[in-house]
Amino acid sequence: MHFISQELEDYIEQHSEKEPALLAALNKETYQKILLPRMLSGHFQGRVLSMLSKLIRPVNILEIGTYTGYSALCLCEGIQENGQLHTIDIKEELVNFQRKHFDKSPWGKQIFQHLGEAVAIIPTLDIKFDLVFIDADKENYLNYFELIVPKMSKGGIILSDNVLWSGKVLEPLNPKDLSTKILLEYNQLLTNDPRVETVLLPIRDGLTVSRVL
């Protein structure tokens, strides 16, 4: 969904940090070889993720929804030297693709891939996280949030992607559209939950920044 004109979006990209060569190559290969390349965070959102991570300086990062690894590498740009990024995805066919690009980066040994359902994997991670990025199946956003909050460091940041869902959050709800129904509930939860303070940014398809109190 375009919240502003394509011309303005192009201008914004041109006046933001350039896309690193490693990520440009990953971007290109994703579009050449992988289904649904639109799922990639891309240049502008990737630079936003990178900047937020550099401001937070996390030790431990959790990513729910790896896809081809672009956002993971962006988040690693701010990670501390002793830090770890744990990323979870259900698509076995993407694991080697992700690892190839992870190992080309300076953070290959700091990135840990988990294959399977995040609702089952998150409880097994005995780690306090400083930064979490949720970008997976929308039907589980509420479940992910409840599993994550107890594992967050005080002041930690939870980033939630696709929270505007191509504008469907403003349209009459189709009773059969579970993803939109859950996202509406999720957005309301983040607004009202006393455990976090939240701002929703109109970046690409909506990016929520929630700080754990």
Side-chain angles (χ1 to χ4, degrees):
M1 181 180 182
H2 290 284
F3 301 102
I4 59 177
S5 70
Q6 186 61 55
E7 291 78 12
L8 270 176
E9 286 193 3
D10 292 342
Y11 183 87
I12 289 166
E13 272 198 15
Q14 292 162 11
H15 292 80
S16 298
E17 285 295 309
K18 296 198 182 315
E19 185 178 41
L22 173 67
L23 291 174
L26 171 52
N27 193 334
K28 182 177 180 180
E29 190 172 353
T30 298
Y31 272 83
Q32 289 173 334
K33 298 179 179 179
I34 308 297
L35 290 173
L36 303 174
R38 186 174 175 273
M39 291 172 58
L40 196 82
S41 287
H43 175 191
F44 176 58
Q45 183 172 335
R47 292 305 86 206
V48 172
L49 296 177
S50 168
M51 182 67 77
L52 289 171
S53 185
K54 288 171 182 173
L55 291 169
I56 296 162
R57 295 291 292 139
V59 175
N60 294 313
I61 303 172
L62 173 64
E63 178 184 55
I64 306 172
T66 316
Y67 190 47
T68 56
Y70 190 101
S71 53
L73 291 172
C74 293
L75 294 168
C76 278
E77 291 180 33
I79 200 169
Q80 295 192 33
E81 287 185 10
N82 62 333
Q84 298 181 349
L85 181 143
H86 292 261
T87 185
I88 305 171
D89 205 284
I90 60 170
K91 291 190 171 75
E92 185 175 1
E93 66 272 19
L94 292 179
V95 170
N96 291 336
F97 185 98
Q98 298 158 5
R99 177 48 60 185
K100 177 179 73 171
H101 290 280
F102 291 159
D103 286 345
K104 289 179 181 177
S105 79
W107 310 285
K109 294 181 179 179
Q110 294 174 266
I111 300 175
F112 297 85
Q113 296 160 282
H114 301 270
L115 180 64
E117 298 287 347
V119 289
I121 292 170
I122 293 169
T124 70
L125 300 175
D126 188 19
I127 301 168
K128 279 289 186 183
F129 292 103
D130 309 297
L131 176 60
V132 173
F133 182 42
I134 306 175
D135 186 17
D137 57 312
K138 312 313 162 194
E139 293 88 345
N140 269 308
Y141 267 37
L142 292 166
N143 295 327
Y144 296 149
F145 182 78
E146 294 299 341
L147 289 169
I148 287 165
V149 169
K151 294 180 175 291
M152 294 296 297
S153 303
K154 184 178 176 61
I157 298 294
I158 301 171
L159 304 174
S160 309
D161 202 13
N162 304 117
V163 291
L164 296 178
W165 208 222
S166 297
K168 291 181 182 178
V169 292
L170 294 180
E171 298 172 359
L173 180 63
N174 181 339
K176 296 181 181 179
D177 186 353
L178 181 59
S179 294
T180 302
K181 179 178 181 292
I182 295 297
L183 281 172
L184 287 166
E185 294 177 14
Y186 183 71
N187 291 341
Q188 197 61 49
L189 171 66
L190 294 185
T191 302
N192 297 329
D193 195 310
R195 295 172 294 178
V196 296
E197 57 182 356
T198 292
V199 60
L200 198 164
L201 306 176
I203 293 172
R204 286 190 80 227
D205 198 22
L207 180 69
T208 297
V209 181
S210 303
R211 177 176 174 269
V212 178
L213 301 175

